[in-house]
Amino acid sequence: MKILAIESSAVSASAAITDGSKIIASSYVNVKLPHSQTLMPMIRSALDSSLTDINSIDAIAVSCGPGSFTGIRIGISAAKGLAVPKDLPCLAVSTLYCMAQNFAGSDCIVCAVMDARCNQVYNALFRINGLAIERLCDDRALLCDDLVCELQKYKDKNIVICGDGADMFIKYVSKFSNIKIAPEHLKYQNAVGVALCGYEMLKSGKTVSKEELLPVYLRLPQAERELKAKKQKLQEL
């Protein structure tokens, strides 16, 4: 089963094509150009370089959040557009879960963190035992101090911090010898991880239609939060 995967939930963006668990092609950039400029050329390049016709793709996988509100919308819009001609099934992949794929084959706890600002992170924890990946909690937004307290339950395990919030969060746990930051080449989410997660979902029948493919924000965008706060203040007057 061939999967075209898209990842654009943070500063980096990537595209990949897999056949089952075999990686056929992948493309990744981590520059400050908008995803609206980089994503579709990468998808086209992955298809062309691997001699893959879009008509041979069986499903579209995309990271649907958490992450950048704009980046997620761009990735989902691209997935919806590519799914239209053949009405392809879509696979809505957690950004945090796809990061855990980077550490398959190891023995550790993966703590995936994305910077949510205001001393908060988007986070999920995963236990890695060889090729088995066990989710330990749902994706959530929580205070950094609360995450530190939770990680102390795993003091007998090696913990790896990854994600675009890793450099920010590592200072909160610097005193713990069992907690390390991931190496640069494994730190961030990428479309290969999205594809591998998508393949497992596809085998389990966990697909959605292009109409059902929606972003997962975990919390409202800042503009909506500010508007909600203003309305609440007006109601209190």
Side-chain angles (χ1 to χ4, degrees), residues 129-148:
N129 184 6
L131 296 179
I133 300 176
E134 176 190 359
R135 178 183 278 276
L136 299 178
C137 65
D138 292 334
D139 293 356
R140 66 245 173 115
L142 77 170
L143 291 169
C144 292
D145 289 336
D146 291 340
L147 180 55
V148 171

Side-chain angles (χ1 to χ4, degrees), residues 7 39 44 46 58 77 80 82 95-96 104 113 130 137-138 146 151 159 172-173 178 180 184 197 201 218 236:
E7 208 302 302
L39 194 57
R44 183 73 265 169
D58 298 297
S77 295
K80 286 175 176 284
L82 290 165
T95 308
L96 299 168
V113 289
C137 65
D138 292 334
D146 291 340
L151 290 178
I159 299 174
Y172 287 87
V173 291
N178 66 313
K180 306 295 182 184
E184 195 70 18
C197 291
M201 296 171 70
L218 296 185
E236 293 172 353

Side-chain angles (χ1 to χ4, degrees), residues 33-95:
L33 290 173
H35 296 327
S36 56
Q37 293 182 26
T38 60
L39 194 57
M40 291 309 295
M42 281 196 297
I43 293 170
R44 183 73 265 169
S45 175
L47 290 167
D48 290 345
S49 62
S50 62
L51 302 178
T52 302
D53 190 290
I54 188 65
N55 292 317
S56 69
I57 296 296
D58 298 297
I60 308 289
V62 60
S63 56
C64 61
S68 158
F69 298 113
T70 301
I72 292 168
R73 286 196 296 270
I74 290 173
I76 286 180
S77 295
K80 286 175 176 284
L82 290 165
V84 166
K86 289 182 62 182
D87 197 24
L88 291 173
C90 296
L91 301 154
V93 176
S94 158
T95 308

Side-chain angles (χ1 to χ4, degrees), residues 24-224:
I24 298 175
S26 67
S27 182
Y28 175 95
V29 296
N30 192 359
V31 294
K32 293 184 178 180
L33 290 173
H35 296 327
S36 56
Q37 293 182 26
T38 60
L39 194 57
M40 291 309 295
M42 281 196 297
I43 293 170
R44 183 73 265 169
S45 175
L47 290 167
D48 290 345
S49 62
S50 62
L51 302 178
T52 302
D53 190 290
I54 188 65
N55 292 317
S56 69
I57 296 296
D58 298 297
I60 308 289
V62 60
S63 56
C64 61
S68 158
F69 298 113
T70 301
I72 292 168
R73 286 196 296 270
I74 290 173
I76 286 180
S77 295
K80 286 175 176 284
L82 290 165
V84 166
K86 289 182 62 182
D87 197 24
L88 291 173
C90 296
L91 301 154
V93 176
S94 158
T95 308
L96 299 168
Y97 188 33
C98 84
M99 291 186 208
Q101 294 288 337
N102 293 347
F103 303 92
S106 59
D107 180 14
C108 65
I109 300 291
V110 170
C111 176
V113 289
M114 301 183 73
D115 192 352
R117 312 299 180 191
C118 302
N119 295 316
Q120 296 182 76
V121 288
Y122 300 124
N123 166 257
L125 301 175
F126 304 89
R127 189 190 309 275
I128 312 296
N129 184 6
L131 296 179
I133 300 176
E134 176 190 359
R135 178 183 278 276
L136 299 178
C137 65
D138 292 334
D139 293 356
R140 66 245 173 115
L142 77 170
L143 291 169
C144 292
D145 289 336
D146 291 340
L147 180 55
V148 171
C149 291
E150 186 169 346
L151 290 178
Q152 292 182 57
K153 297 190 301 184
Y154 303 101
K155 59 185 178 181
D156 61 332
K157 296 288 292 183
N158 291 323
I159 299 174
V160 179
I161 309 295
C162 64
D164 69 6
D167 292 333
M168 176 277 294
F169 181 71
I170 195 66
K171 65 187 178 187
Y172 287 87
V173 291
S174 58
K175 65 179 180 180
F176 300 109
S177 61
N178 66 313
I179 302 179
K180 306 295 182 184
I181 196 166
E184 195 70 18
H185 68 288
L186 298 177
K187 188 185 295 182
Y188 304 110
Q189 58 269 46
N190 64 73
V192 169
V194 173
L196 295 175
C197 291
Y199 178 53
E200 294 302 316
M201 296 171 70
L202 187 61
K203 290 192 295 183
S204 302
K206 296 178 180 178
T207 63
V208 295
S209 67
K210 59 184 183 299
E211 292 82 11
E212 296 170 319
L213 185 63
L214 298 171
V216 177
Y217 292 136
L218 296 185
R219 66 179 190 182
L220 292 173
Q222 184 175 349
E224 292 185 35

